[in-house]
Structures are given as structure tokens and as C-alpha cells.
Amino acid sequence: MPAPEYILNLRNKIGNDPLWIPGVRGVVFDDAGRVLLAQRTDNRQWALVSGILEPGEQPARGLVREIFEETAVVAEAERVVSVGAVGPFTYPNGDVCEFLDVVFRCRYVSGTARVNDDESLAVGWFALDELPELMPGHLSSIRHALAPAEAAHFEP
């Protein structure tokens, strides 16, 4: 995922030091109960659509923007399902990041799922019993999104 301009500007000032970044992730369900996934360009893994918020951007709006930018799907955020810290990650260039990850359950509104930018190799809808291999955190996000609407999950 390409870094937003404001992060590149921060990196010019702080180098590779750890950076705390606000991120969002969406569990998007269509009317058939399938979940929207994208195969990432950077590591070739299938994943929920996620992204980095711009300064001052509301999390739900930022996620809806990311979903459309990456998949051409218009979605609506329904509720927060979990909040947590993810990382730290050290990237090949030495940058260290940790993400505040806000996960939303979303519903499909319109559009045909397709690769819509250079962040994904493939995009598609998957039945819950036919999911490709996903990172454990993404599987947990799907489980939390399927749970009855209640308080958001978080680690104490």
C-alpha cells in the first residue's frame, strides 16, 4: 500500500523511527452473505480491504473511500466491530510502523468488485465456507463482524 503524502513528509523528519498510524479495515458483506476480499500486491495475501486515514478524516468515511478506491464497490459502514493495535511491522526500507486498527462491519451498496488501483492483484466476493487463507487478525475481524451487534471487541 503506498504511503500517504503526510506520512512521507513525517518520514523525512523522523527517518525509520516507529510511527503510530490510524488505520481502518472493512468486513463488507453483500446480500448473499459473501465477504469482499482483495489479494494484496505487496505480499500476495488475501485480506479484508484496509487503509490509512488522512489527517482529520473520519474513520467510517475513510474506510468507505478506501473500499471504493481499491475495489470499485460502494459500501456503507454499519458499526464498529473491533479496535486494537496491530504490529509493529518493519518494512524492507527499515520503516517501523504500528497501526491503530478500527474494524467496521459494512454492507454492499452498489458497484462491481474489480481491481481498481495498484494495491491489489485480484478482488472478489467469497462465501464464508470458501475463504482463501487469511491472516489470523482478518479471520478474527470476520468473526467479530458476524457476532450480534454489541459493544466493539477490544483487548483489555
Side-chain angles (χ1 to χ4, degrees):
M1 123 181 24
E5 188 69 26
Y6 83 95
I7 290 180
L8 297 175
N9 291 336
L10 283 171
R11 284 289 177 208
N12 286 333
K13 296 174 185 173
I14 68 166
N16 301 114
D17 287 352
L19 186 57
W20 181 244
I21 299 175
V24 287
R25 184 184 311 171
V27 184
V28 184
F29 292 108
D30 68 4
D31 294 335
R34 299 176 302 170
V35 66
L36 180 64
L37 299 175
Q39 186 181 26
R40 296 172 56 113
T41 301
D42 59 357
N43 61 17
R44 305 186 71 79
Q45 292 183 308
W46 284 94
L48 296 167
V49 176
S50 60
I52 297 171
L53 297 174
E54 295 289 335
E57 187 173 34
Q58 291 295 329
R61 281 191 217 127
L63 175 59
V64 167
R65 172 186 55 76
E66 288 285 348
I67 292 166
F68 182 77
E69 286 176 2
E70 295 182 25
T71 70
V73 166
V74 176
E76 179 179 288
E78 295 181 313
R79 64 182 169 93
V80 173
V81 296
S82 66
V83 178
V86 180
F89 298 104
T90 302
Y91 292 89
N93 67 355
D95 287 352
V96 178
C97 298
E98 189 159 1
F99 296 89
L100 172 63
D101 190 36
V102 181
V103 181
F104 289 86
R105 178 186 170 113
C106 303
R107 71 174 186 82
Y108 166 83
V109 174
S110 65
T112 301
R114 63 178 170 83
V115 173
N116 204 35
D117 65 11
D118 59 358
E119 295 184 39
S120 301
L121 298 171
V123 169
W125 294 100
F126 291 84
L128 295 174
D129 61 353
E130 297 178 348
L131 294 174
E133 185 176 339
L134 296 171
M135 294 177 281
H138 290 243
L139 285 173
S140 292
S141 293
I142 293 169
R143 278 195 302 277
H144 294 306
L146 289 168
E150 53 189 42
H153 174 80
F154 61 93
E155 296 295 323

